[in-house]
Amino acid sequence: MFESLSEKLGGILDRLTRRGALSEADVDAALREVRRALLEADVALEVVHSFIDEVRKHAVGATVIKSVTPGQMVVKIVHDQLIAMLGASADPINLDAPAPVAVMMVGLQGSGKTTTTAKLARRLSQQMRRKVLMASLDVRRPAAMEQLAVLGRQVEVDTLPIVEGQQPPQIARRALEAGRLGGYDVVLLDTAGRTTLDDAMMAEAAEIKAAANPHEILLVADSLTGQDAVNLARAFDQRVGLTGIVLTRVDGDGRGGAALSMRAVTGKPIKLIGTGEKMDALEDFHPQRIADRILGMGDIISLVEKAAATIDAEHAMRVAEKMRKGAFDLSDLRSQLAQMQSMGGMAGLMGMMPGMAKMKSQLASANLDERVLKRQMAIIDSMTPKERRVPDLLKASRKKRIAAGSGTKPEDINRLLKMHRQMADMMKAMGGAKRGPMAGLAQMMGFGGGAPSPEDMAKLAQQMPGGIPGSPPGTLPPGFPGASGLPPTMPGMPAKFPGMPGLGGRPPGLGSLPGFGKKK
């Protein structure tokens, strides 16, 4: 969503951080470029002016000039103001009200209201363990009610039975009554939209509000509409009174101006963002994490949360124990590849890593092929259970059979086996016979020979998200391999990265990391 803005701001702030001292003229020149970048990202003009004024007020003064690294201080100020623009803290859906809690979804036709209603219902029922009832109040769009019923069956959430001839306020009252009688915790009301703002839609929304008295009124806005989304939010807020905003299609917009503008213009928090077409592609909006991503600092916290939601803890412990004993077989490798794919693939994971935003063009030229994961899983699926347990059985004739079964070549199988062997050797070496798998990692991170204490991990967590004070964003903590830059043997990276110190050559070991194949 913020790729273009991130690239431009990253270049501007990089030039500042390379300067030993900053004058007022340097800051003014940089802020002019920041202003242009924000306007090109479709941020509202009034928001841009306010943002630049706040940054200048903090950046031009003794605090910055006297600091050890003035450029880094300016980066921190820009980061803080981005968070302030997006909203100081995350503001999730509020269900603190007597059941059933009514949540009303409003917005224009085509913005994704019905799909977002189903996504929210799935999220509330599966993650928050709430009993949810969905009701379609759209009596104008053909098959709108049937669409919600189909989505309800898909996400395993109840929908209100359709009764022909009822008007939206009547349906809203019937939904709340059904919610009370059925013991539901939340009732989601999917209202009708229009292709443009008009008085009839606003009047209908006001009637529904009066009939249902919803606890939350969420505007579903398409981020692709840019400045129009801001005007839409302002109009709905004046007529109906919004409590929050849900931005859809953030995976399809490279500018991000709507997100940066809507919070500042309306004062209403962005509560959720739709990140894809699938029913689980709905996430909480965290201002600080978004600001970190825009400035190329990565999003370690979201990466950890995604891992926690995807990885089976018991299975992970079993695999870790097998790794420690050197019994990491190809079935275990397949489960690791499947988890990586479910977490967004190589590109999705690397986009959340600190410093990777600045290497976007180099990563693009590295032939980061997401299909590699699927091909590698297909190779393992074409093996017999015994071959997965004992890879040494795989001689030339067996490799030919597996290659034919998976639609690959014997050299692809050789690369997979080499990667598996290196991973098994590395994990066994890290685990040690007695210390356990965390101890080797702890020693790499500079915590001595034993496993890290909770205090050590807390210290590491404080260092990671924002980097080290006075260091470029994404800098690793002291004691971490490659703390002065990225490790000189970054796994599987292209042979040269112009302008990136410490990335001069390929590693002796992990060159076949999935997704970093050679150019055909």
Side-chain angles (χ1 to χ4, degrees):
M1 180 179 184
F2 297 103
E3 283 179 0
S4 174
L5 181 61
S6 177
E7 198 173 311
K8 288 172 184 171
L9 286 184
I12 296 164
L13 297 174
D14 274 352
R15 290 195 291 275
L16 280 184
T17 54
R18 287 196 290 266
R19 304 289 290 272
L22 291 180
S23 65
E24 190 169 330
D26 293 331
V27 175
D28 284 340
L31 289 182
R32 277 196 298 275
E33 293 186 57
V34 171
R35 180 178 183 274
R36 189 182 302 118
L38 290 172
L39 290 173
E40 287 175 1
D42 212 11
V43 181
L45 184 61
E46 59 191 287
V47 178
V48 174
H49 285 161
S50 172
F51 179 83
I52 296 298
D53 289 344
E54 286 297 315
V55 172
R56 179 180 283 110
K57 185 167 69 179
H58 292 89
V60 179
T63 309
V64 170
I65 304 303
K66 290 181 180 178
S67 65
V68 179
T69 52
Q72 280 298 321
M73 187 60 74
V74 174
V75 172
K76 181 183 183 304
I77 291 167
V78 171
H79 181 253
D80 291 345
Q81 291 306 316
L82 272 175
I83 294 173
M85 185 197 298
L86 291 165
S89 60
D91 194 345
I93 297 288
N94 180 10
L95 300 179
D96 187 14
V101 181
V103 178
M104 179 176 166
M105 314 291 282
V106 299
L108 294 182
Q109 187 174 315
S111 61
K113 274 196 314 301
T114 303
T115 306
T116 301
T117 301
K119 287 181 180 180
L120 179 57
R122 179 188 183 278
R123 183 184 180 87
L124 293 174
S125 63
Q126 293 193 5
Q127 294 186 18
M128 301 179 69
R129 305 295 183 215
R130 303 298 175 100
K131 188 177 180 183
V132 182
L133 175 68
M134 296 191 294
S136 175
L137 279 61
D138 190 347
V139 296
R140 289 177 175 80
R141 183 166 62 90
M145 292 183 170
E146 286 80 1
Q147 180 191 358
L148 191 66
V150 170
L151 290 172
R153 288 192 292 274
Q154 188 176 332
V155 298
E156 298 178 345
V157 171
D158 295 336
T159 53
L160 188 72
I162 300 170
V163 176
E164 296 294 336
Q166 284 194 329
Q167 292 304 303
Q170 293 174 296
I171 300 172
R173 283 190 284 267
R174 181 163 61 90
L176 289 173
E177 185 62 27
R180 277 188 287 271
L181 294 173
Y184 289 91
D185 300 310
V186 183
V187 175
L188 299 180
L189 304 174
D190 178 27
T191 65
R194 306 284 194 282
T195 52
T196 57
L197 283 169
D198 64 23
D199 288 336
M201 177 175 64
M202 291 298 184
E204 183 179 288
E207 287 178 23
I208 295 169
K209 180 184 176 182
N213 190 25
H215 186 63
E216 287 266 22
I217 303 177
L218 302 178
L219 170 67
V220 181
D222 187 341
S223 61
L224 294 173
T225 55
Q227 287 299 297
D228 285 341
V230 179
N231 299 330
L232 173 73
R234 188 184 276 136
F236 265 105
D237 189 37
Q238 289 171 353
R239 290 292 298 270
V240 186
L242 302 176
T243 61
I245 298 165
V246 182
L247 273 184
T248 61
R249 299 185 194 174
V250 298
D251 55 323
D253 187 11
R255 296 173 299 177
L260 291 172
S261 303
M262 293 176 87
R263 173 69 173 82
V265 169
T266 64
K268 306 299 178 183
I270 299 172
K271 298 201 171 193
L272 298 163
I273 51 175
T275 56
E277 295 295 326
K278 293 182 179 178
M279 285 294 112
D280 61 350
L282 189 69
E283 299 177 4
D284 285 327
F285 184 82
H286 293 274
Q288 180 166 354
R289 301 183 196 179
I290 296 294
D292 287 348
R293 286 195 208 181
I294 292 173
L295 295 183
M297 297 176 183
D299 190 355
I300 293 293
I301 300 172
S302 290
L303 183 60
V304 171
E305 285 182 352
K306 188 171 283 191
T310 306
I311 296 171
D312 180 348
E314 290 184 11
H315 176 72
M317 289 295 289
R318 288 195 300 271
V319 172
E321 183 61 21
K322 291 180 75 173
M323 284 178 173
R324 189 180 71 79
K325 293 178 179 177
F328 181 68
D329 62 24
L330 287 165
S331 295
D332 298 322
L333 176 60
R334 191 202 182 284
S335 71
Q336 301 296 308
L337 295 172
Q339 285 177 354
M340 187 183 296
Q341 188 179 38
S342 66
M343 288 171 64
M346 288 294 293
L349 295 177
M350 296 191 73
M352 295 184 185
M353 297 298 290
M356 286 297 174
K358 298 175 185 176
M359 297 163 60
K360 185 182 163 191
S361 58
Q362 289 92 334
L363 288 173
S365 66
N367 194 25
L368 192 63
D369 188 357
E370 295 293 349
R371 291 173 297 180
V372 170
L373 294 175
K374 290 183 180 179
R375 284 199 293 269
Q376 289 174 333
M377 286 191 285
I379 290 171
I380 298 173
D381 288 340
S382 300
M383 298 177 185
T384 65
K386 189 174 181 180
E387 287 169 344
R388 293 179 206 173
R389 288 194 305 271
V390 189
D392 290 340
L393 292 174
L394 296 174
K395 305 304 180 188
S397 60
R398 294 187 185 230
K399 288 177 183 176
K400 282 183 181 178
R401 187 203 81 236
I402 293 166
S406 59
T408 56
K409 299 177 182 177
E411 48 264 40
D412 296 325
I413 299 170
N414 290 335
R415 276 196 291 269
L416 177 69
L417 293 174
K418 183 181 178 183
M419 181 180 77
H420 166 258
R421 190 164 55 250
Q422 289 167 344
M423 285 180 69
D425 291 345
M426 182 182 69
M427 292 302 176
K428 188 176 181 182
M430 279 178 60
K434 297 178 181 177
R435 298 178 304 158
M438 285 301 289
L441 187 60
Q443 192 169 31
M444 288 171 62
M445 292 182 174
F447 294 131
S453 67
E455 292 76 13
D456 292 330
M457 295 307 289
K459 182 170 66 175
L460 181 66
Q462 287 175 350
Q463 291 172 335
M464 285 302 288
I468 305 300
S471 303
T475 300
L476 297 172
F480 203 95
S484 58
L486 285 170
T489 55
M490 190 70 175
M493 291 292 186
K496 293 289 179 184
F497 279 110
M500 292 296 291
L503 288 178
R506 283 189 176 277
L510 296 178
S512 54
L513 192 70
F516 287 105
K518 293 180 180 178
K519 283 281 189 183
K520 292 285 187 290

